[in-house]
Amino acid sequence: MTESGRDRDAQGRARQARPRDALGRPLPYGADGVEPVSEEPLPPEETIRAARELVDAGRPFAAHEVCEARWKAGPAEERDLWQGLAQICVAITHAARGNRIGAERLSDRAAKRLAAYAATGRLAYGLDLDEVMECARSRIR
């Protein structure tokens, strides 16, 4: 932790030293939280698999972190894909926390990003992005 009281590494990047519950809410230091996910980016197919498993396990916030690591490490031309997938995970998180408005807004933003990515014709690593959005919307209703 830095002098400011924030969890940062030597380069000043945010780190997840504080324990969190399954929906990503911070818990008091020393509390038992869920196991944090690695902050290192995974290869694309592993990112998708890990994110799907985390969402299915009731940990959509952790799935967001997995997608976010991939988006920050990946090529710029894939940014809309990974940001859209991360936003879906956050939308599911908001829904699980009872924030329907936040869930709907992030779902709409995710849909725009994924549609923009799909319009490029680039590889979506086996994902049917329309199906991904439909599944996400069913989880936030």
Side-chain angles (χ1 to χ4, degrees):
M1 190 172 331
T2 65
E3 292 176 24
S4 69
R6 298 183 72 190
D7 297 326
R8 302 283 176 180
D9 67 11
Q11 290 75 38
R13 291 186 303 251
R15 292 295 178 213
Q16 45 180 319
R18 189 168 176 183
R20 293 185 177 268
D21 71 8
L23 294 177
R25 293 175 288 223
L27 298 170
Y29 287 100
D32 289 331
V34 296
E35 184 70 28
V37 295
S38 172
E39 294 180 20
E40 296 301 315
L42 299 170
E45 291 86 357
E46 288 182 47
T47 299
I48 291 166
R49 180 193 47 75
R52 184 176 286 148
E53 288 174 2
L54 287 162
V55 168
D56 289 345
R59 296 188 58 201
F61 185 82
H64 147 265
E65 291 178 323
V66 169
C67 291
E68 183 177 62
R70 178 77 248 146
W71 131 45
K72 290 181 176 179
E77 56 271 6
E78 291 185 0
R79 185 177 181 139
D80 279 337
L81 173 65
W82 299 111
Q83 276 189 318
L85 294 173
Q87 286 174 324
I88 285 171
C89 296
V90 175
I92 295 168
T93 301
H94 279 299
R97 292 177 179 175
N99 178 1
R100 179 181 275 299
I101 292 171
E104 289 173 359
R105 287 182 180 159
L106 275 177
S107 177
D108 290 345
R109 283 191 227 151
K112 288 176 185 168
R113 284 197 185 280
L114 293 180
Y117 184 79
T120 68
R122 289 191 182 95
L123 177 67
Y125 300 99
L127 293 175
D128 177 330
L129 298 180
D130 290 331
E131 185 178 308
V132 169
M133 279 310 307
E134 185 57 36
C135 180
R137 286 190 173 118
S138 73
R139 288 179 180 261
I140 66 169
R141 290 185 185 128

